[in-house]
Amino acid sequence: MSTQLEAASIARLSPHDSTHFSVQYSQTLHRLELLQYWNIPTGSKVLELGCGQGDCTTVLAHAVGEQGRVVAIDPAELDYGAPYTLGQAQGHISQGPLGRRITWVQQSPLHYLSSLPSPSSTSSPPASDGKAFDATVLAHCLWYFSSPSLILSTFRALKQHSKRLLLAEWSLVATHPSAQPHVLAALAQAALECRKSKSVSNVRTVQGPKRLTELALAAGWQLESETRVQGGEGLLDGQWEVSACLSSSFEREVEEQVSDERERSLVLALRDACEASLEGVQGGRKGVRRMDVWVASFI
């Protein structure tokens, strides 16, 4: 089956508006492209952190086959998310043909990992080295973490329970010029969110590939491979983030949340740079593409 046909088939298992099916299809197709670099064998037991509405979960469940399993973790409340909440999306997927391969867990990653038995205490280990999972996937969720130290702690905990660490995150690189506004929008939002005591944004802690690799190495992982994937035209993440950055509510939040005038000037300068970068994009906001994606495998 071609990648395009696979994407269409898997995308239909997630809740979607039939008139905007292309949005779900593009997200699913992107996750299938990530799996080409990760090489997850059938029959694998995979842990996914930050599963959200299951865009990557369905693709992983499809990849591991009938004998494989996916444990999908997300700490968010089940009423979080739009246009479908986590609860709606996960419930819908569970009723489909991939449902029995997936176990959903509403819990913080560290709490879940701390509940697992240590490999040395397992009398009948599921794998020769005693680790519970063949691979752990974090796909477009690392910027949701509240701090780099929390990412490091999570990577360290995973080293005890997973054979591989598979990451995919925005790279802060725009190979295509029309993706540059996406980079600037992400940095502007991060500059605002890091000045809040608590953030519910999807851009909370921005870490590029270099810093994420440093955290993984510090946690005891070894880099196996990495690459960058250019953004396709179907994914609208760049347009969504630019619209959020240039909204009136963003500027209002800056005025309300950032008290230091120099810091406020910095955040607004990043916003202005994002807006100015649209002058070089054919079609303006509607012509914005997503930035490149960093894809890496650690062992």
Side-chain angles (χ1 to χ4, degrees):
M1 183 183 292
S2 71
T3 302
Q4 288 79 10
L5 288 175
E6 276 187 301
S9 175
I10 298 171
R12 290 191 177 92
L13 302 180
S14 295
H16 60 272
D17 180 349
S18 59
T19 59
H20 298 97
F21 177 69
S22 61
V23 175
Q24 186 62 50
Y25 168 79
S26 296
Q27 293 291 338
T28 303
L29 180 62
H30 171 54
R31 270 67 179 184
L32 280 171
E33 291 171 345
L34 297 179
L35 256 67
Q36 294 178 11
Y37 296 96
W38 286 333
N39 189 27
I40 299 175
T42 56
S44 295
K45 185 173 183 181
V46 177
L47 175 65
E48 183 192 5
L49 302 186
C51 65
Q53 284 95 338
D55 288 335
C56 195
T57 314
T58 52
V59 172
L60 291 170
H62 173 77
V64 300
E66 293 185 2
Q67 302 305 313
R69 293 293 179 268
V70 177
V71 177
I73 312 288
D74 202 291
E77 298 295 330
L78 293 180
D79 60 359
Y80 174 83
Y84 302 98
T85 66
L86 268 65
Q88 289 172 330
Q90 294 174 8
H92 183 90
I93 293 169
S94 293
Q95 297 302 312
L98 299 178
R100 71 181 190 87
R101 305 179 191 178
I102 302 168
T103 300
W104 306 99
V105 179
Q106 185 193 2
Q107 197 172 21
S108 77
L110 281 180
H111 284 162
Y112 174 78
L113 291 167
S114 67
S115 71
L116 298 177
S118 63
S120 60
S121 68
T122 306
S123 57
S124 300
S128 59
D129 61 0
K131 294 185 178 179
F133 297 98
D134 297 298
T136 297
V137 169
L138 291 93
H140 294 294
C141 68
L142 288 158
W143 287 6
Y144 283 80
F145 280 69
S146 60
S147 67
S149 59
L150 181 58
I151 297 175
L152 176 60
S153 297
T154 303
F155 285 175
R156 281 179 174 156
L158 286 169
K159 197 73 178 72
Q160 302 179 55
H161 302 289
S162 182
K163 297 178 185 178
R164 302 172 67 206
L165 177 65
L166 308 176
L167 308 180
E169 194 50 89
W170 303 113
S171 68
L172 299 176
V173 174
T175 298
H176 198 286
S178 62
Q180 188 61 32
H182 185 195
V183 176
L184 294 169
L187 292 174
Q189 290 185 73
L192 169 60
E193 296 303 320
C194 74
R195 288 166 171 82
K196 297 180 180 179
S197 58
K198 184 177 180 181
S199 172
V200 295
S201 169
N202 58 343
V203 182
R204 303 177 193 181
T205 299
V206 167
Q207 296 275 282
K210 179 180 178 180
R211 304 304 175 188
L212 288 170
T213 298
E214 289 176 349
L215 291 174
L217 296 177
W221 294 94
Q222 294 180 337
L223 180 63
E224 181 181 36
S225 64
E226 64 177 333
T227 190
R228 283 207 321 264
V229 180
Q230 287 192 42
E233 295 182 3
L235 287 175
L236 303 178
D237 300 75
Q239 295 180 28
W240 294 335
E241 300 302 347
V242 168
S243 293
C245 176
L246 300 184
S247 67
S248 58
S249 61
F250 179 88
E251 191 165 1
R252 185 169 58 252
E253 275 198 86
V254 174
E255 297 298 330
E256 294 173 351
Q257 299 287 339
V258 186
S259 57
D260 184 275
E261 63 177 347
R262 292 176 64 200
E263 292 184 352
R264 186 164 60 244
S265 178
L266 168 63
V267 179
L268 292 176
L270 285 167
R271 179 187 184 276
D272 293 344
C274 174
E275 186 172 33
S277 69
L278 291 174
E279 295 176 5
V281 178
Q282 185 176 4
R285 293 191 196 184
K286 291 185 177 181
V288 171
R289 296 178 62 164
R290 60 162 192 168
M291 71 177 89
D292 299 0
V293 175
W294 174 63
V295 189
S297 173
F298 294 85
I299 55 175

Short mmCIF file of all heavy atoms in Angstrom, two decimals, residues 66-88:
data_model
loop_
_atom_site.label_atom_id
_atom_site.label_comp_id
_atom_site.label_asym_id
_atom_site.label_seq_id
_atom_site.Cartn_x
_atom_site.Cartn_y
_atom_site.Cartn_z
N GLU A 66 -0.79 -6.42 14.62
CA GLU A 66 -1.72 -7.03 15.57
C GLU A 66 -1.02 -7.54 16.83
O GLU A 66 -1.64 -7.60 17.90
CB GLU A 66 -2.47 -8.18 14.89
CG GLU A 66 -3.43 -7.72 13.79
CD GLU A 66 -4.24 -8.87 13.23
OE1 GLU A 66 -4.07 -10.01 13.72
OE2 GLU A 66 -5.03 -8.64 12.30
N GLN A 67 0.25 -7.91 16.72
CA GLN A 67 0.96 -8.44 17.88
C GLN A 67 1.66 -7.34 18.68
O GLN A 67 2.21 -7.61 19.76
CB GLN A 67 2.00 -9.48 17.43
CG GLN A 67 1.41 -10.64 16.67
CD GLN A 67 0.29 -11.35 17.42
OE1 GLN A 67 0.45 -11.64 18.61
NE2 GLN A 67 -0.82 -11.59 16.76
N GLY A 68 1.65 -6.12 18.18
CA GLY A 68 2.30 -5.02 18.87
C GLY A 68 1.34 -4.28 19.78
O GLY A 68 0.12 -4.48 19.74
N ARG A 69 1.91 -3.40 20.60
CA ARG A 69 1.10 -2.61 21.52
C ARG A 69 1.66 -1.19 21.63
O ARG A 69 2.87 -0.98 21.53
CB ARG A 69 1.07 -3.25 22.92
CG ARG A 69 0.34 -4.58 22.99
CD ARG A 69 -1.15 -4.41 22.72
NE ARG A 69 -1.88 -5.69 22.76
CZ ARG A 69 -2.10 -6.46 21.70
NH1 ARG A 69 -1.65 -6.10 20.51
NH2 ARG A 69 -2.78 -7.59 21.85
N VAL A 70 0.76 -0.24 21.85
CA VAL A 70 1.15 1.16 22.06
C VAL A 70 0.52 1.63 23.36
O VAL A 70 -0.69 1.52 23.54
CB VAL A 70 0.67 2.06 20.89
CG1 VAL A 70 1.04 3.52 21.17
CG2 VAL A 70 1.26 1.60 19.57
N VAL A 71 1.35 2.12 24.25
CA VAL A 71 0.87 2.77 25.47
C VAL A 71 1.02 4.27 25.25
O VAL A 71 2.14 4.77 25.09
CB VAL A 71 1.66 2.32 26.71
CG1 VAL A 71 1.17 3.07 27.95
CG2 VAL A 71 1.54 0.81 26.91
N ALA A 72 -0.10 4.98 25.22
CA ALA A 72 -0.12 6.39 24.86
C ALA A 72 -0.42 7.25 26.09
O ALA A 72 -1.49 7.13 26.68
CB ALA A 72 -1.17 6.64 23.77
N ILE A 73 0.53 8.11 26.44
CA ILE A 73 0.45 8.91 27.67
C ILE A 73 0.24 10.38 27.35
O ILE A 73 0.89 10.93 26.45
CB ILE A 73 1.77 8.79 28.48
CG1 ILE A 73 2.21 7.34 28.62
CG2 ILE A 73 1.63 9.50 29.83
CD1 ILE A 73 1.37 6.53 29.54
N ASP A 74 -0.65 11.02 28.09
CA ASP A 74 -0.78 12.47 28.02
C ASP A 74 -1.34 12.97 29.35
O ASP A 74 -2.31 12.41 29.86
CB ASP A 74 -1.70 12.91 26.87
CG ASP A 74 -1.43 14.35 26.44
OD1 ASP A 74 -1.74 15.27 27.24
OD2 ASP A 74 -0.91 14.56 25.34
N PRO A 75 -0.72 14.03 29.91
CA PRO A 75 -1.17 14.51 31.22
C PRO A 75 -2.36 15.47 31.15
O PRO A 75 -2.93 15.83 32.19
CB PRO A 75 0.06 15.24 31.75
CG PRO A 75 0.75 15.75 30.53
CD PRO A 75 0.52 14.70 29.47
N ALA A 76 -2.73 15.91 29.96
CA ALA A 76 -3.78 16.92 29.83
C ALA A 76 -5.15 16.36 30.24
O ALA A 76 -5.40 15.15 30.15
CB ALA A 76 -3.84 17.45 28.40
N GLU A 77 -6.03 17.27 30.67
CA GLU A 77 -7.40 16.87 30.98
C GLU A 77 -8.09 16.38 29.71
O GLU A 77 -7.78 16.84 28.60
CB GLU A 77 -8.18 18.05 31.56
CG GLU A 77 -7.62 18.57 32.88
CD GLU A 77 -7.73 17.56 34.01
OE1 GLU A 77 -8.68 16.75 33.97
OE2 GLU A 77 -6.87 17.59 34.91
N LEU A 78 -9.02 15.46 29.87
CA LEU A 78 -9.68 14.86 28.71
C LEU A 78 -10.58 15.85 27.97
O LEU A 78 -10.98 15.60 26.83
CB LEU A 78 -10.48 13.63 29.13
CG LEU A 78 -9.63 12.44 29.63
CD1 LEU A 78 -10.53 11.28 30.03
CD2 LEU A 78 -8.62 12.01 28.57
N ASP A 79 -10.91 16.99 28.61
CA ASP A 79 -11.73 17.99 27.93
C ASP A 79 -10.85 19.05 27.25
O ASP A 79 -11.35 20.06 26.76
CB ASP A 79 -12.71 18.66 28.88
CG ASP A 79 -12.02 19.38 30.05
OD1 ASP A 79 -10.78 19.34 30.13
OD2 ASP A 79 -12.74 19.96 30.88
N TYR A 80 -9.53 18.81 27.20
CA TYR A 80 -8.61 19.74 26.55
C TYR A 80 -8.54 19.44 25.06
O TYR A 80 -8.57 18.29 24.64
CB TYR A 80 -7.21 19.61 27.16
CG TYR A 80 -6.13 20.41 26.47
CD1 TYR A 80 -5.93 21.75 26.76
CD2 TYR A 80 -5.30 19.82 25.52
CE1 TYR A 80 -4.93 22.50 26.14
CE2 TYR A 80 -4.30 20.55 24.89
CZ TYR A 80 -4.13 21.88 25.19
OH TYR A 80 -3.14 22.61 24.56
N GLY A 81 -8.44 20.48 24.24
CA GLY A 81 -8.22 20.30 22.81
C GLY A 81 -9.39 20.77 21.98
O GLY A 81 -10.52 20.87 22.45
N ALA A 82 -9.08 21.09 20.72
CA ALA A 82 -10.08 21.53 19.75
C ALA A 82 -9.58 21.19 18.35
O ALA A 82 -8.37 21.13 18.12
CB ALA A 82 -10.30 23.05 19.88
N PRO A 83 -10.47 20.94 17.39
CA PRO A 83 -11.94 20.95 17.52
C PRO A 83 -12.50 19.73 18.25
O PRO A 83 -13.69 19.68 18.55
CB PRO A 83 -12.38 20.95 16.05
CG PRO A 83 -11.29 20.23 15.33
CD PRO A 83 -10.02 20.62 16.03
N TYR A 84 -11.65 18.73 18.51
CA TYR A 84 -12.07 17.58 19.30
C TYR A 84 -11.21 17.50 20.55
O TYR A 84 -10.00 17.69 20.50
CB TYR A 84 -11.94 16.28 18.49
CG TYR A 84 -12.73 16.29 17.20
CD1 TYR A 84 -12.12 16.59 15.99
CD2 TYR A 84 -14.10 16.02 17.21
CE1 TYR A 84 -12.85 16.62 14.81
CE2 TYR A 84 -14.85 16.06 16.04
CZ TYR A 84 -14.22 16.36 14.84
OH TYR A 84 -14.94 16.40 13.67
N THR A 85 -11.84 17.20 21.67
CA THR A 85 -11.09 17.08 22.92
C THR A 85 -10.30 15.76 22.91
O THR A 85 -10.56 14.86 22.09
CB THR A 85 -12.02 17.09 24.13
OG1 THR A 85 -12.83 15.91 24.11
CG2 THR A 85 -12.89 18.34 24.13
N LEU A 86 -9.36 15.64 23.86
CA LEU A 86 -8.61 14.40 23.96
C LEU A 86 -9.55 13.22 24.23
O LEU A 86 -9.40 12.15 23.64
CB LEU A 86 -7.57 14.49 25.10
CG LEU A 86 -6.17 14.97 24.71
CD1 LEU A 86 -6.20 16.42 24.22
CD2 LEU A 86 -5.21 14.83 25.89
N GLY A 87 -10.51 13.44 25.10
CA GLY A 87 -11.44 12.37 25.43
C GLY A 87 -12.25 11.92 24.22
O GLY A 87 -12.44 10.72 24.00
N GLN A 88 -12.74 12.88 23.44
CA GLN A 88 -13.51 12.54 22.25
C GLN A 88 -12.67 11.78 21.23
O GLN A 88 -13.10 10.76 20.68
CB GLN A 88 -14.06 13.81 21.62
CG GLN A 88 -15.16 14.49 22.41
CD GLN A 88 -15.53 15.85 21.85
OE1 GLN A 88 -14.71 16.55 21.27
NE2 GLN A 88 -16.79 16.24 22.03
#
